Amino acid sequence: MELVVARIGRAHGIKGEVTVEVRTDEPELRLSPGAVLRTEPASAGPLTIETGRVHSSRLLLRFAGVKDRTGAEALRNILLIADVDPAELPEEPDEYYDHQLMDLDVVLEDGTEVGRITEISHLPSQDLFIVERPDGSEVMIPFVEEIVAEIDLEEQRCVITPPPGLIDDRAEIASSRDADADAGAGVEGGDDA
């Protein structure tokens, strides 16, 4: 099984290092020196990691054969792909690989069908499930503990507890301004006696 583990960013310095956007929860395993990664596009690889280090909260890698800034810039936006055994599981019990979550049925706690996970979007702040609804529309579900109540890989389902308005248009609107308007309405129609 193939997993995208990083995207190469811009060159760093003049000695062939590049920044990478990490797309794995296990960078120490997948992006360590000596790792050989396939690439997308395939014509750019395979690439062998020569060195890796963290600088200003960014992972910097240098690949074998890339010795200068020009070579590093030529790698920009290339995806790095690792081969992973499909039976392999993440080290943490509540972590999942994307391939495990794809095509899971998404349901509410009462069993109401929401849809099926068709894509997982990895954003800086959180991951999102892109869920295709039965009518063909899509809804985005944040992959956070407060919303995703259960992942059951054996049953191939994801149970969610969405807040009002996340998967439907019945949002509950509550603001202090609305409460003040309601309270003031009772005062304005006062008695003129």
Side-chain angles (χ1 to χ4, degrees):
M1 165 144 305
E2 299 177 349
L3 291 179
V4 174
V5 293
R7 184 183 64 81
I8 298 175
R10 62 180 171 218
H12 179 83
I14 60 171
K15 296 183 179 179
E17 283 185 312
V18 294
T19 62
V20 293
E21 174 190 311
V22 176
R23 295 189 179 175
T24 176
D25 289 336
E26 301 168 319
E28 64 285 343
L29 176 66
R30 310 277 180 223
L31 300 171
S32 60
V36 179
L37 302 167
R38 288 186 298 104
T39 60
E40 179 62 41
S43 60
L47 294 173
T48 301
I49 297 175
E50 196 170 85
T51 64
R53 66 186 178 103
V54 176
H55 175 73
S56 297
S57 304
R58 302 267 330 194
L59 179 60
L60 302 178
L61 297 179
R62 182 178 305 133
F63 299 100
V66 180
K67 300 296 181 196
D68 59 21
R69 186 175 186 88
T70 303
E73 278 295 337
L75 299 175
R76 192 172 192 159
N77 293 322
I78 289 174
L79 297 177
L80 299 175
I81 301 167
D83 285 317
V84 177
D85 180 348
E88 182 181 327
L89 298 174
E91 293 178 8
E92 298 294 321
D94 56 347
E95 288 183 0
Y96 303 93
Y97 292 132
D98 287 3
H99 72 272
Q100 294 175 294
L101 302 170
M102 291 297 292
D103 293 324
L104 290 184
D105 293 321
V106 179
V107 298
L108 300 178
E109 283 184 308
D110 66 6
T112 303
E113 179 184 10
V114 175
R116 182 172 294 229
I117 298 173
T118 58
E119 184 181 340
I120 299 161
S121 180
H122 300 281
L123 304 176
S125 59
Q126 67 192 14
D127 295 336
L128 289 175
F129 292 156
I130 310 301
V131 177
E132 185 176 322
R133 312 271 321 249
D135 65 5
S137 65
E138 289 184 338
V139 63
M140 292 182 278
I141 309 290
F143 187 18
V144 294
E145 189 176 336
E146 296 81 16
I147 296 173
V148 177
E150 177 187 359
I151 300 282
D152 186 338
L153 296 178
E154 285 185 25
E155 294 292 322
Q156 286 291 291
R157 69 182 191 142
C158 169
V159 179
I160 63 170
T161 57
L166 183 65
I167 61 171
D168 56 32
D169 55 8
R170 297 186 303 262
E172 293 175 10
I173 300 171
S175 74
S176 58
R177 184 173 23 201
D178 292 340
D180 292 343
D182 291 342
V187 175
E188 284 187 304
D191 198 354
D192 287 338

